[in-house]
Amino acid sequence: MPLTNRKKNNLVPEPALRRMPCYLAYLKLAQKEGLKHISSTLIARDMGVDPTQVTKDLSYTSIVGKTRVGYEVEPLIEVLEDFLGFTVVDEAYLFGVGSLGKALLHDHGLKQFGLKVVAAFDVDPEVVGKTIEGVPIYHFEELSKMHEGTAKIGILTVPVDKAQDVANKLVEVGIRALWNFTPVRIKVDEDVVVQNTSLYAHLAVMFNRMKAE
Ligand SMILES: NC(=O)c1ccc[n+]([C@@H]2O[C@H](COP(=O)([O-])OP(=O)(O)OC[C@H]3O[C@@H](n4cnc5c(N)ncnc54)[C@H](O)[C@@H]3O)[C@@H](O)[C@H]2O)c1
């Protein structure tokens, strides 16, 4: 089960895990430009981080750089993609096909990062029964039917006042990881992974930094 395999990454500090997709994007660009080898110093300079930080972050993967030559770009990309779990596809259900849910269903990037939405759920008759980007939208009451499905990840994009209830039901039917876009701090058993994501948190940081200039 891909989700279980990823547990081996548990001990990697979260800030390092968050930097790794940025290294990956940077390396893919470097590869497009024809670079075969790259040093941690160059990565660090272009990404505005400390070289020792780069070496430490990359050391969590199995790959090591060579003195003077640095890292081979292509194998480093492969190792990073594999390490981050982007090479296996996990299936997910999405809950709440409103403005954010729809945007996520239209996003082609998710699959590249190993997440395939196989079904979505809502309560609004305007969307139930339709498909978006090939993803069927069911009524939330049909959730028990999906119990037989293989997806273990739930993407939560329901209204704030529904978030905890919906999360409880998802855990009941076997969802083991919640990608929570709602601002609610969902309370579930410890063995359920909850990843909170907020675009607005970053916006707040941007506004604050602009004011500080
Ligand atoms: N993390 C972020 O950056 C971010 C950005 C935008 C919105 N949000 C949050 O995401 C959530 C959705 O926002 P939105 O703007 O898309 O709202 P929306 O009102 O457009 O969509 C919510 C959808 O959930 C559906 N819904 C209601 N009850 C449901 C249930 N029990 N099961 C399944 N679906 C149900 C509604 O019918 C609706 O289609 C909100 O909690 C909002 O605060 C987070």
Side-chain angles (χ1 to χ4, degrees):
M1 192 87 236
L3 194 65
T4 321
N5 286 344
R6 284 175 193 167
K7 286 197 174 158
K8 68 186 175 200
N9 296 345
N10 265 357
L11 296 177
V12 179
E14 199 174 316
L17 279 175
R18 290 217 198 129
R19 282 188 291 270
M20 283 188 199
C22 303
Y23 296 142
L24 185 60
Y26 169 82
L27 288 164
K28 283 186 172 174
L29 204 64
Q31 188 185 40
K32 249 190 193 163
E33 286 165 3
L35 235 68
K36 298 272 181 258
H37 292 89
I38 199 157
S39 68
S40 50
T41 320
L42 187 60
I43 301 175
R45 191 200 67 191
D46 287 349
M47 297 197 55
V49 287
D50 195 86
T52 50
Q53 180 87 79
V54 174
T55 316
K56 179 136 196 263
D57 288 347
L58 295 179
S59 74
Y60 291 113
T61 71
S62 54
I63 208 151
V64 274
K66 287 186 195 138
T67 327
R68 279 195 287 274
V69 188
Y71 301 93
E72 278 186 86
V73 175
E74 197 180 323
L76 183 54
I77 289 175
E78 283 167 13
V79 165
L80 264 177
E81 280 184 328
D82 186 48
F83 182 80
L84 291 169
F86 295 164
T87 50
V88 284
V89 175
D90 272 304
E91 293 184 341
Y93 300 138
L94 181 136
F95 300 90
V97 192
S99 65
L100 181 60
K102 281 193 188 95
L104 288 171
L105 289 178
H106 283 292
D107 175 30
H108 291 220
L110 286 183
K111 223 182 281 175
Q112 284 170 27
F113 289 98
L115 193 66
K116 184 181 177 204
V117 181
V118 290
F121 296 86
D122 204 296
V123 290
D124 183 353
E126 284 290 313
V127 290
V128 171
K130 298 200 170 133
T131 59
I132 294 180
E133 297 283 338
V135 178
I137 303 163
Y138 300 101
H139 196 281
F140 188 62
E141 280 171 8
E142 294 179 85
L143 180 65
S144 54
K145 283 192 208 155
M146 304 306 290
H147 189 20
E148 297 124 36
T150 53
K152 295 279 176 255
I153 299 172
I155 304 172
L156 209 54
T157 49
V158 292
V160 176
D161 57 335
K162 302 286 185 310
Q164 185 63 57
D165 273 0
V166 170
N168 293 345
K169 288 193 180 107
L170 302 191
V171 173
E172 263 173 46
V173 297
I175 291 293
R176 304 320 299 156
L178 287 169
W179 190 8
N180 175 32
F181 283 86
T182 80
V184 178
R185 297 301 92 165
I186 301 290
K187 292 187 186 72
V188 280
D189 289 347
E190 264 179 28
D191 60 341
V192 179
V193 178
V194 180
Q195 182 60 56
N196 302 308
T197 294
S198 169
L199 298 172
Y200 304 130
H202 291 99
L203 196 59
V205 175
M206 187 179 81
F207 286 154
N208 182 273
R209 299 296 182 264
M210 282 167 72
K211 282 178 200 143
E213 273 178 9

